[in-house]
Amino acid sequence: MNPLRRLFLAAPFALAAFAGQAQAQELSLSEISSYMNQLQTAQGDFTQINSDGTISTGTIYIKRPGRIRFEYDAPEKSLVIAGGGSVAIFDARSTDNPQRYPLSETPLSIILQDNVDLTRASMVTGHTSDGTSTTVTAQDPAHPEYGNIQLKFTNPAQLRQWVITDNTGTQTTMVLGDMTVGGGISDRMFNIIAETDNWN
């Protein structure tokens, strides 16, 4: 499997320790769903811990529903875009056109869908709290074979990490930095066709 595809489809996102924070009550699935549905745009830095232990960094842009963009810093200088129902992986080391996959077949589709509802039957397979954060593991109830996404939130609700595990069990970890929530992000940033023309 292309390593960048693995990074996107199998990205566990590790969270920095919450040392010293006060004990927080576990967030309910309804509270988390409401938070995600209110999160329309966001951008910030990320640190990605790959399955082989290497680290990648970059900038993430989210525009719900259905759109996300990962811009990787050097040396990767690659790009992953979700938009228009597809995921495109632009590998700076390749001269080929970007690889494309249906967004619906990736666990990230769960948090990018128009209406996030974690209370749906068989969607959540884990819901725990360690006193400082709440962790939820979710999957597509109709297609558990696509893998799952593990989300970690602080309280008040704020997304701090996610862990995506694909159908081979491969995991990659990404740490979200401080996110700027709200504000305008151009639709052009999620236009795979336009980006392909520019990339070539």
Side-chain angles (χ1 to χ4, degrees):
M1 180 185 292
N2 178 288
L4 278 176
R5 183 185 183 215
R6 183 175 293 114
L7 297 183
F8 183 83
L9 301 184
F13 294 63
L15 180 62
F18 294 110
Q21 292 189 7
Q23 295 288 304
Q25 184 177 359
E26 180 178 274
L27 295 169
S28 70
L29 297 180
S30 295
E31 288 174 315
I32 293 172
S33 298
S34 177
Y35 163 80
M36 292 304 306
N37 288 325
Q38 292 172 17
L39 182 66
Q40 296 301 302
T41 61
Q43 65 185 74
D45 298 332
F46 69 80
T47 299
Q48 178 172 290
I49 303 170
N50 307 314
S51 57
D52 62 359
T54 59
I55 294 176
S56 305
T57 60
T59 305
I60 182 175
Y61 301 85
I62 301 171
K63 192 170 187 178
R64 299 187 57 260
R67 289 163 289 186
I68 198 166
R69 177 185 178 106
F70 299 89
E71 294 180 356
Y72 288 84
D73 297 332
E76 285 91 347
K77 298 192 71 172
S78 298
L79 181 66
V80 176
I81 297 176
S86 297
V87 176
I89 298 172
F90 297 80
D91 188 345
R93 296 165 296 183
S94 174
T95 58
D96 297 334
N97 285 329
Q99 299 180 58
R100 295 181 64 164
Y101 309 93
L103 175 60
S104 62
E105 295 182 8
T106 74
L108 271 181
S109 64
I110 294 171
I111 63 170
L112 292 177
Q113 60 189 286
D114 186 37
N115 180 32
V116 176
D117 182 7
L118 296 175
T119 66
R120 287 175 54 195
S122 302
M123 172 167 279
V124 170
T125 60
H127 182 198
T128 62
S129 173
D130 63 5
T132 58
S133 62
T134 299
T135 301
V136 172
T137 303
Q139 64 184 13
D140 180 344
H143 295 282
E145 70 274 15
Y146 292 162
N148 63 63
I149 184 168
Q150 183 184 84
L151 304 161
K152 184 166 284 190
F153 300 85
T154 49
N155 191 352
Q158 185 176 10
L159 179 61
R160 292 293 190 175
Q161 83 169 39
W162 64 71
V163 175
I164 300 175
T165 304
D166 71 6
N167 59 359
T168 70
T170 302
Q171 295 186 333
T172 308
T173 297
M174 184 165 321
V175 180
L176 300 179
D178 290 334
M179 303 289 285
T180 299
V181 177
I185 300 177
S186 172
D187 290 342
R188 166 67 175 74
M189 297 186 71
F190 311 95
N191 187 319
I192 294 173
I193 294 175
E195 196 67 51
T196 299
D197 294 339
N198 183 61
W199 193 265
N200 292 335

